[in-house]
Amino acid sequence: MDPLQKTSTWIGVALLALTVLILPMVLGALWIKVLTSAAIFALAASGVALVYAQLGLINLAQIALIGVGGWIALRLNYATDLPVTLLVIIAGGLTGVIGALFALPALRMRGLYLALVTLMVAALAQIFFNAFQFPNGGEGFWGVAQKSADAVRRPGFAQSDTAYFRYVMIALGVAFMLIGLHKSSAPGRAWAMIRQSEANAMAAGINVTFFKLWAFALSGFLAGTSGALLAGALGQLDARSFLAGEGILLFALAVVGGVFSWLGAIVAGLLYKLLPAIFNDLGLSADIAMIIFGAALMHAIMTAPEGIAGQIMGAFKKGGSDD
C-alpha cells in the first residue's frame, strides 16, 4: 500500500470515528436526520462511482434502484418478522440481481447510448412507483392500502434517530470495505483490464460479460441497501422521491466528488442532501444548490478529473512530499 493509500485509509478511520462518536453529541435532531440521508445517498453514490471508475460505464438508474431496494424492504418489513439487518441485506441482494438483469441488454453499449438505456430504465421504474406506490402494510402482493402507513421497523439497538445515524454510518463503512476488497482482488484486476481494452481482456481469458454484470450487481446491491436504509430513516417512502432525473444528478455529483475514492462518495452525499438543507435553513431557495452543482461539474470536467476527493488527497500527498 502506497503512502497516499495509507493516508486515505487513516483519514477514513478518523472520519468514521468522528461522525459515529462525536457528531451526534453536538448536532441537533434535524441535522442528524439530514446527515443520515446524506450517508445513505453516499452509499448509493459509491455504486455509481464504482461502475464509472472501474469500467468507464455510466449508470443513470441508481436512484431508481434505490427505490427498488426500498420497495422490497418495505414489502418484507410488513410481510415478515425478519431481523432488520437481514432484511436490508436481502433487499440489497435482490436489487443487485435486478440491477444486473437491467444491465444485461446494455452490455454492448458505452457512453451516450448506455446512459440513455439506463435513463430509460429509471423512467420505467418511476412509472412503476407512480402506478403501484410503495407497500404500506396492505394485503396482497403489492401491500398497498388506503390508510395511514405504519412506521417501518428499525433495529432494536437503533430506534432513536441518533442510534440509527450510527447504524447507517457503520453500514457505510462496511460498504466501503466491501468495495475496497473487490478493487484489490480478482474483480478489480479484471475490471482494470476491461477498462483498458476489452479485446486484450478477452485474449487474456477474462469473461468480460461476467465481470461487467458483477460490477452492475455490486452497484445494485449498494443501491438496494441504500433504499432499505432510507425506508428505515424516513419511516415510509414516496414515489416522488425517485424521479428519473435524480439519477443524472447523483451521477454528476459522484463525478464532482471523485469516483476513484471513498471520500468522493461522501462528498457526493453531502452535496446531494446537506447543501440544500443548509440553504433552506438560511431561508434561501434550495434551487441555488443546482447552480453550484453545475459550476462544480464544469470545474471537475475541465480541471479536476479526480474530483474534490482527488484534490484533497493530492494536497495531502503534496504536503507529505514537502516534509
Side-chain angles (χ1 to χ4, degrees):
M1 183 179 293
D2 62 50
L4 183 57
Q5 288 179 317
K6 289 182 179 179
T7 300
S8 175
T9 299
W10 282 112
I11 291 174
V13 171
L15 184 61
L16 181 62
L18 175 68
T19 53
V20 169
L21 299 176
I22 299 177
L23 282 185
M25 299 169 57
V26 299
L27 294 178
L30 171 62
W31 295 107
I32 288 296
K33 291 180 180 179
V34 171
L35 287 179
T36 300
S37 294
I40 290 170
F41 281 95
L43 178 57
S46 68
V48 176
L50 171 76
V51 173
Y52 187 60
Q54 300 302 306
L55 293 171
L57 301 177
I58 299 173
N59 176 17
L60 302 182
Q62 195 76 338
I63 290 290
L65 291 176
I66 296 173
V68 171
W71 195 98
I72 294 171
L74 286 170
R75 195 68 201 93
L76 292 175
N77 171 81
Y78 294 119
T80 72
D81 292 321
L82 290 172
V84 175
T85 300
L86 179 59
L87 185 150
V88 170
I89 295 172
I90 293 174
L94 291 176
T95 306
V97 173
I98 293 171
L101 292 176
F102 281 163
L104 191 58
L107 288 182
R108 295 186 178 274
M109 302 178 185
R110 296 182 69 90
L112 177 61
Y113 296 106
L114 177 60
L116 290 175
V117 169
T118 56
L119 185 60
M120 184 181 300
V121 169
L124 291 174
Q126 181 181 328
I127 293 171
F128 173 88
F129 297 143
N130 286 328
F132 297 102
Q133 298 302 314
F134 284 87
N136 63 359
E139 300 294 331
F141 177 78
W142 304 113
V144 178
Q146 301 299 321
K147 65 172 186 177
S148 299
D150 298 326
V152 179
R153 289 183 289 128
R154 291 180 176 180
F157 56 84
Q159 290 295 308
S160 69
D161 288 339
T162 297
Y164 194 75
F165 167 71
R166 289 179 171 136
Y167 176 70
V168 169
M169 288 302 303
I170 292 172
L172 181 61
V174 171
F176 285 163
M177 287 190 289
L178 178 63
I179 293 172
L181 179 63
H182 276 76
K183 288 182 178 180
S184 62
S185 57
R189 293 189 290 271
W191 291 333
M193 290 193 67
I194 292 170
R195 181 177 178 117
Q196 184 178 26
S197 171
E198 290 190 18
N200 290 341
M202 287 188 286
I206 292 174
N207 189 329
V208 172
T209 299
F210 173 77
F211 280 104
K212 281 186 176 181
L213 286 177
W214 190 331
F216 274 98
L218 180 56
S219 179
F221 173 79
L222 297 171
T225 302
S226 301
L229 293 172
L230 187 63
L234 301 180
Q236 188 51 251
L237 298 177
D238 187 272
R240 291 170 293 182
S241 300
F242 305 100
L243 302 178
E246 292 296 305
I248 302 174
L249 178 58
L250 186 65
F251 173 77
L253 292 180
V255 173
V256 170
V259 298
F260 301 103
S261 167
W262 58 265
L263 182 58
I266 292 179
V267 171
L270 291 174
L271 289 174
Y272 191 74
K273 282 297 178 181
L274 181 60
L275 190 59
I278 291 174
F279 283 126
N280 280 329
D281 189 60
L282 295 174
L284 302 173
S285 173
D287 292 338
I288 297 175
M290 297 300 295
I291 300 174
I292 296 175
F293 295 160
L297 181 59
M298 292 297 296
H299 170 69
I301 292 173
M302 293 188 296
T303 63
E306 295 189 357
I308 294 174
Q311 291 180 310
I312 293 174
M313 292 301 159
F316 273 100
K317 185 176 182 179
K318 182 178 179 181
S321 63
D322 290 341
D323 291 340

